[in-house]
Amino acid sequence: MASGLREGIQWEDPSSMATRDDYIVQGGRRYVKPYFFQFVAHVKQRWHGRGIAELFASEFRQRPLQYYEEAVRVGRIQVDGRNVTPDCTVKQSQTMTHYVHRHEPSVDASPVEVLHESDSVLVVCKPSSMPVHPCGQYRKNTVLSVLQAFHGYGQLFPIHRLDRSVSGLLILAKTAAAAETFRLQMMSGQIHKQYIARVAGTFPANPVEVCAAVLYDARAGVSRVVATAPQGQPSQQLTAPQPACEKEGEGRGGKTEDRDCGEEKARVGECEGEGKAARPRKARDVRKARAMAKRQGRAGKAGGGGEGAEEDKEKTAVTRFERQAVAGDGTCSIVRCWPRTGRTHQIRVHLQHVGHPVGNDDLYLLPPPQAPTTLSPPPPPPPPPLPPPLPYARRPTIFQPFLSHMLLLLLLLLLLVMRILVIAEVVVVPGMLM
């Protein structure tokens, strides 16, 4: 794309603020008017020396390699403001820009209601279908952008986050100092989070604590339970008073991003991991986070890595459940949930694991697919069993054919005698009459 073609177009970037005019409400849904946007990302150390098209295809997986090659050729993707070729290798600290025409998905038009406000804290009711912060396909149809556009708030710092499809209370700090205070309280276990879920079926009456490691697939946007306990035995649901896995601080760490929050990030650090209190990214914090991520084998995820950052290692996850009510017909139950760790989709995947998924969860309502144990085709089904023998059936013997032949011979002999008697009667009777 030649630079002249971009002249006269109002390009938005990550610093652009949302306004009321950006939205259209129709049929109970909130839509965002399409707009021109430029994604900006800085080349990280692990990206150094890679081809620009291959880099985008592997890190920002919403589009195929062919798209990125064409985008580089026509100038929709530039490096340091200059057109390059698809095989151009990037260097650390260079700036990559991707020019797109964005069409955001619609969300529920329910308002983001403010429930409490003070000088440092804001508590709102988050509707379902709306992500908390800009990520993936969503930028203006988010809680933060709607609060800016319709309530006039400036920069806000989410203390915790909820999945896009989850509704509930959301605490936002107005200042960096308040966000840091909440973050320390969450890490020390002073703040506890509870969730209410309507699940399928009749949940057990006794409290249940599930200890099952969770593995998140960033490409598919789905978590699954790794059915192996620390001792190598299949993981089981445990009654609450029994000791489970090691506690890691309630609500601490982990992500709760939804599958739609997997597109490329607008800038480094814009889409942080769910469950962590957002705060200004100081250089010291970034260095510490990157060092920790490198030690855990997840380099690039810290500091808001690109879409390619994924949890490729299972993590210990513990959730406590208590049944609150059951429907009269037993089709659903109301369950209170206490996550003792903060993993991506932890509550939802744990409920699926125990056989009671969230009733309207389109991602985890069905049972998880079983991993194939072999690449060969499945064996044919066994033949149906033979019917049981009839009660009068007997084992054949050598006398049965002889007896049948004798009976047949006697029958023929009887017929012959009867035939002779009939002929004798016809001959004798007329003679007597003569």
Side-chain angles (χ1 to χ4, degrees), residues 11-88:
W11 290 93
E12 299 189 24
D13 55 38
S15 62
S16 302
M17 303 287 288
T19 64
R20 286 177 174 263
D21 296 335
D22 295 332
Y23 301 91
I24 299 176
V25 177
Q26 184 178 1
R29 306 290 295 178
R30 179 182 287 111
Y31 298 86
V32 174
K33 299 177 183 177
Y35 57 97
F36 293 95
F37 187 80
Q38 49 184 344
F39 287 98
V40 180
H42 301 286
V43 178
K44 306 172 184 178
Q45 182 178 3
R46 65 186 179 92
W47 295 352
H48 179 82
R50 297 174 60 180
I52 181 70
E54 180 273 330
L55 170 63
F56 269 79
S58 60
E59 297 291 335
F60 311 129
R61 302 170 183 171
Q62 286 288 332
R63 298 177 174 89
L65 175 62
Q66 293 77 9
Y67 166 85
Y68 290 115
E69 291 176 343
E70 178 65 18
V72 173
R73 276 192 290 265
V74 300
R76 289 199 301 269
I77 295 179
Q78 294 184 339
V79 178
D80 288 338
R82 299 190 302 269
N83 292 345
V84 295
T85 58
D87 58 350
C88 171

Side-chain angles (χ1 to χ4, degrees), residues 354-409:
V354 299
H356 298 279
V358 177
N360 62 344
D361 191 343
D362 57 349
L363 194 60
Y364 296 103
L365 186 58
L366 297 178
Q370 298 296 328
T373 57
T374 177
L375 298 178
S376 59
L386 296 175
L390 298 177
Y392 53 81
R394 297 178 179 177
R395 184 177 180 181
T397 63
I398 59 175
F399 299 102
Q400 285 186 348
F402 175 76
L403 292 177
S404 61
H405 293 164
M406 290 298 295
L407 291 176
L408 181 60
L409 183 60

Side-chain angles (χ1 to χ4, degrees), residues 262-283:
E263 200 177 62
E264 60 190 81
K265 308 302 183 290
R267 68 174 182 269
V268 176
E270 181 187 29
C271 197
E272 298 182 14
E274 298 279 356
K276 297 180 181 178
R279 64 189 190 279
R281 306 293 291 181
K282 298 179 181 179

Side-chain angles (χ1 to χ4, degrees), residues 246-306:
E246 178 185 359
K247 300 179 183 179
E248 302 183 8
E250 293 196 37
R252 169 186 166 194
K255 300 195 309 179
T256 55
E257 294 178 355
D258 213 271
R259 63 161 66 182
D260 297 305
C261 289
E263 200 177 62
E264 60 190 81
K265 308 302 183 290
R267 68 174 182 269
V268 176
E270 181 187 29
C271 197
E272 298 182 14
E274 298 279 356
K276 297 180 181 178
R279 64 189 190 279
R281 306 293 291 181
K282 298 179 181 179
R284 176 170 50 85
D285 295 332
V286 173
R287 286 194 299 269
K288 292 169 109 179
R290 285 178 178 169
M292 181 179 299
K294 188 174 182 180
R295 286 195 300 269
Q296 296 175 350
R298 295 181 290 113
K301 182 179 176 181

Side-chain angles (χ1 to χ4, degrees), residues 89-142:
T89 58
V90 296
K91 300 178 181 179
Q92 187 178 358
S93 301
Q94 284 186 320
T95 301
M96 303 180 298
T97 308
H98 185 194
Y99 298 92
V100 297
H101 192 235
R102 298 195 67 170
H103 298 252
E104 295 191 25
S106 63
V107 299
D108 186 72
S110 300
V112 180
E113 184 181 358
V114 177
L115 303 179
H116 172 78
E117 182 176 6
S118 65
D119 295 338
S120 58
V121 177
L122 181 69
V123 181
V124 301
C125 181
K126 172 194 170 305
S128 62
S129 80
M130 179 186 299
V132 174
H133 55 82
C135 62
Q137 302 179 64
Y138 300 86
R139 179 174 166 266
K140 297 184 179 181
N141 254 343
T142 62

